[in-house]
Amino acid sequence: MTGLPFWKTKRLDQMDAAEWESLCDGCAKCCLLKLEDEDTGEIAYTRLHCRLLDAGTCQCSDYANRKLHVPDCVKLTPAGIEEIRWMPGSCAYRLINEGKDLPDWHHLVCGDRTRVHTEGHSVLGRTVSEDTVLDEDQEDWVVDWEGTEF
């Protein structure tokens, strides 16, 4: 035993299910609707969140069955993490995959699951449900959260 936390000693593909799930910081940035420019491939984040996101907690309201309700919901896997270009820069899965450490506000580091919200690293209080906006109006909700580690 090295005494180091699992995320410093294991690759993503070596983690068990509990370790894998514990990496999620609950920011809900991955639950935002994103628009991709067909010509440039550039990804634009919107202030619209998935219909399953509980905006008051930044948690999925039906995580176990989310693919039934939202078929295009992406299930993160160790093999696929590199191919998901829109993962925010602060995402623990992305950071670990890139050989970086978790930020000091991450609950596995600080022991406080609410710190991601209190320090402003989540979408808590900044989004509305996709169900409240017509598809043709989604571009009106594009946002540039400069400095928010997207």
Side-chain angles (χ1 to χ4, degrees):
M1 292 296 253
T2 64
L4 295 173
F6 71 89
W7 65 89
K8 290 187 177 192
T9 62
K10 293 182 177 183
R11 294 186 321 264
L12 292 174
D13 63 352
Q14 295 172 321
M15 294 179 188
D16 63 34
E19 291 168 334
W20 175 265
E21 290 295 327
S22 74
L23 285 178
C24 179
D25 61 29
C27 72
K29 292 175 183 175
C30 61
C31 299
L32 296 177
L33 269 63
K34 292 152 287 287
L35 304 176
E36 183 175 1
D37 184 298
E38 292 178 14
D39 297 327
T40 67
E42 184 178 338
I43 305 290
Y45 286 85
T46 72
R47 290 179 41 120
L48 304 173
H49 63 254
C50 170
R51 66 181 52 92
L52 292 181
L53 184 71
D54 179 331
T57 64
C58 281
Q59 298 293 308
C60 183
S61 62
D62 194 2
Y63 184 73
N65 301 303
R66 66 193 184 280
K67 299 272 302 166
L68 295 172
H69 305 290
V70 183
D72 61 344
C73 180
V74 175
K75 179 177 167 77
L76 296 179
T77 64
I81 199 74
E82 284 186 21
E83 297 174 19
I84 303 175
R85 297 182 308 113
W86 49 259
M87 291 301 291
S90 61
C91 176
Y93 299 101
R94 181 175 175 175
L95 291 170
I96 299 301
N97 190 60
E98 294 174 351
K100 298 176 182 172
D101 205 1
L102 298 179
D104 62 355
W105 49 262
H106 193 284
H107 67 93
L108 290 175
V109 176
C110 72
D112 179 1
R113 278 207 168 268
T114 65
R115 196 160 163 196
V116 66
H117 308 302
T118 59
E119 291 201 14
H121 298 285
S122 76
V123 301
L124 188 69
R126 299 195 271 176
T127 63
V128 298
S129 176
E130 67 178 313
D131 287 341
T132 65
V133 176
L134 298 173
D135 286 349
E136 59 266 18
D137 294 335
Q138 288 180 350
E139 285 186 14
D140 295 340
W141 292 84
V142 169
V143 65
D144 181 12
W145 279 322
E146 192 65 37
T148 57
E149 300 178 359
F150 278 89

